[in-house]
Amino acid sequence: MKNHENNVVGPDVMLIALAASIPNAAVFGGFLNLSSSQIKDTNNWIDSIRASSPTRTRSSSSSDNQDKINSWMLYHPSALNMFDQIAYNMKGKKIVTFLDYDGTLSPIVADPDKAFMTKKMRATLKDIARHFPTAIVTGRCRDKVYSFVKLAQLYYAGSHGMDIKGPTKSRTPNKGNDKALLCQPASKFLPMIEEVYKILLEKTKSVPGAKVENNKFCLSVHFRCVDEKCWAALAEQVRLVLNEYPKLKLTQGRKVLEIRPTIKWDKGKALEFLLESLGQYPVVIINISSITCIMHLSQLTITFIVGYDNSNDVFPIYIGDDRTDEDAFKVLRNRGQGIGILVSRVPKDTEASYTLKDPVEVEQFLRRLVEWKRSSTQ
């Protein structure tokens, strides 16, 4: 998503506007003493949050918007409309599905604790997992997203892929089954993240609608229920806290700011790790750039069995709606394997090849995938 630098409001104008719009400016101590560059950074974050929201009202006419959508769809056609072509490319290959959660399997809702899938989506997802290795790759805490999905046969990659666990025989894979794939490259950051979480809870509690979510290896500050007039001030408050923690970084998504460790790990890295891991069985420990990932132990051995990562006949399908999914889309495009599908109703800069409008269309696409698999094996 591009920053709209040409639309940055002048520092003096912005300060006056913010001071007038904040009922209690003292809550945001230090905000009115910012430098021009700091204000510009905050404004760019807010521009990106606005631009990433598909429900935001556009100023141009509906005909202009439709022309833009039609032009964009030429390069990113509907995965439903192009399913026959996709199926032709999948034929004879090992399909692996990767799915974001919020905005992909469930609708975006005001309260992130109520982002439930429909019964229809859960049934379809269960069928998908019967036929293909399937992973949920989300910014959410792994335990939280499992409580929504409740399917033990899936791989779960929470905290933007920094907390990965594979399926187990237990219906509650979070309770001590030591035979599951496990990768947690940011473990050493847990005390720091917990510390920042407590600080942000205190700093934001006076902002109506603000919500800080602890996703274990990352934090999310939700703007969805905050008056837009207070967005810039809330974003700056988050930035002021993060100034004291240089080992953490700030990124933005759909009406959310996210705090993550500065390690080189994202949803793209998680996708690569899972492709390498899927299809492996007797593995002890793998070190990836000083990151220790404990793998499945079916017997005492140090043999490394090559997974899907080095397979030419694998076909990964990654479906997501957020900026953070672009890292995974880029990996697939660079590999020249599989497809990325962006879930969006509006044109966005993306590395994905195809699009779907919303979770309803995602369910329809996944259902067609199941039906295609069943018909091709008869």
Side-chain angles (χ1 to χ4, degrees), residues 72 320-322 326 329 340-344 348 350 352 354-356:
W72 183 67
D321 74 306
D322 198 68
E326 290 297 326
F329 295 152
I341 302 175
L342 175 68
V343 183
S344 178
K348 296 181 181 180
T350 182
Y354 299 95
T355 58
L356 293 167

Side-chain angles (χ1 to χ4, degrees), residues 14-76:
M14 183 177 179
L15 289 175
I16 293 170
L18 284 170
S21 66
I22 302 171
N24 184 7
V27 170
F28 303 93
F31 181 69
L32 300 182
N33 294 316
L34 298 176
S35 67
S36 297
S37 62
Q38 289 172 327
I39 292 174
K40 183 176 180 180
D41 287 342
T42 302
N43 227 25
N44 284 339
W45 292 338
I46 299 306
D47 280 347
S48 294
I49 290 173
R50 286 177 181 138
S52 66
S53 173
T55 58
R56 181 170 172 79
T57 302
R58 308 292 177 177
S59 58
S60 54
S61 68
S62 58
S63 60
D64 288 342
N65 283 336
Q66 192 58 51
D67 288 342
K68 291 177 182 178
I69 292 172
N70 292 341
S71 176
W72 183 67
M73 291 290 287
L74 290 175
Y75 297 95
H76 310 285

Side-chain angles (χ1 to χ4, degrees), residues 63-354:
S63 60
D64 288 342
N65 283 336
Q66 192 58 51
D67 288 342
K68 291 177 182 178
I69 292 172
N70 292 341
S71 176
W72 183 67
M73 291 290 287
L74 290 175
Y75 297 95
H76 310 285
S78 165
L80 284 172
N81 293 343
M82 299 297 292
F83 187 85
D84 290 343
Q85 180 64 46
I86 294 171
Y88 177 83
N89 294 332
M90 292 188 299
K91 191 173 182 180
K93 296 186 177 181
K94 300 171 184 175
I95 299 167
V96 188
T97 56
F98 300 88
L99 306 164
D100 187 18
Y101 185 76
D102 294 278
T104 300
L105 296 179
S106 74
I108 296 292
V109 294
D111 185 351
D113 291 332
K114 297 180 179 179
F116 302 112
M117 290 191 301
T118 63
K119 291 181 179 179
K120 187 175 184 181
M121 178 67 85
R122 179 173 284 104
T124 298
L125 185 57
K126 190 173 183 179
D127 283 343
I128 280 286
R130 284 196 185 106
H131 294 286
F132 315 110
T134 301
I136 306 294
V137 187
T138 174
R140 294 275 199 147
C141 171
R142 175 169 56 82
D143 291 350
K144 183 67 175 181
V145 79
Y146 180 81
S147 72
F148 285 140
V149 178
K150 296 179 181 178
L151 294 175
Q153 60 269 45
L154 273 61
Y155 293 79
Y156 291 87
S159 303
H160 299 291
M162 289 182 285
D163 187 11
I164 301 174
K165 195 167 187 179
T168 67
K169 293 181 181 179
S170 169
R171 292 185 63 84
T172 54
N174 303 304
K175 295 185 178 180
N177 190 321
D178 59 359
K179 293 184 178 181
L181 173 150
L182 179 67
C183 182
Q184 295 178 328
S187 294
K188 69 179 182 179
F189 291 91
L190 280 176
M192 183 184 299
I193 291 171
E194 183 64 27
E195 181 179 319
V196 172
Y197 173 63
K198 292 177 181 178
I199 294 172
L200 285 174
L201 280 179
E202 183 65 26
K203 295 286 187 181
T204 62
K205 67 181 182 180
S206 59
V207 183
K211 182 178 178 65
V212 184
E213 185 178 12
N214 189 339
N215 295 312
K216 190 171 182 177
F217 293 98
C218 60
L219 304 173
S220 298
V221 182
H222 294 277
F223 284 63
R224 191 163 299 277
C225 296
V226 176
D227 190 318
E228 190 169 337
K229 292 179 181 179
C230 295
W231 282 11
L234 178 57
E236 185 52 35
Q237 183 63 19
V238 175
R239 190 194 69 79
L240 288 172
V241 173
L242 264 290
N243 279 350
E244 304 300 318
Y245 296 88
K247 293 185 179 180
L248 300 178
K249 64 181 179 180
L250 193 64
T251 61
Q252 65 270 0
R254 294 175 64 175
K255 293 186 179 179
V256 65
L257 285 175
E258 295 181 307
I259 295 108
R260 292 192 260 172
T262 54
I263 63 171
K264 293 182 179 179
W265 196 269
D266 51 37
K267 288 184 176 181
K269 294 291 186 184
L271 183 150
E272 290 177 323
F273 173 78
L274 283 165
L275 283 175
E276 183 64 50
S277 305
L278 295 170
Q280 293 181 14
Y281 297 96
V283 179
V284 180
I285 296 178
I286 303 173
N287 288 309
I288 306 174
S289 302
S290 300
I291 299 170
T292 301
C293 301
I294 304 172
M295 307 288 290
H296 183 71
L297 251 163
S298 61
Q299 61 185 33
L300 184 59
T301 179
I302 57 172
T303 305
F304 182 85
I305 295 181
V306 176
Y308 291 144
D309 186 54
N310 294 310
S311 174
N312 291 325
D313 62 350
V314 66
F315 194 92
I317 300 174
Y318 190 107
I319 308 178
D321 74 306
D322 198 68
R323 289 185 54 158
T324 57
D325 297 307
E326 290 297 326
D327 295 314
F329 295 152
K330 187 174 182 179
V331 165
L332 292 181
R333 187 173 287 276
N334 290 342
R335 289 167 63 99
Q337 282 185 310
I339 56 171
I341 302 175
L342 175 68
V343 183
S344 178
R345 288 183 174 275
V346 298
K348 296 181 181 180
D349 291 338
T350 182
E351 295 287 340
S353 301
Y354 299 95

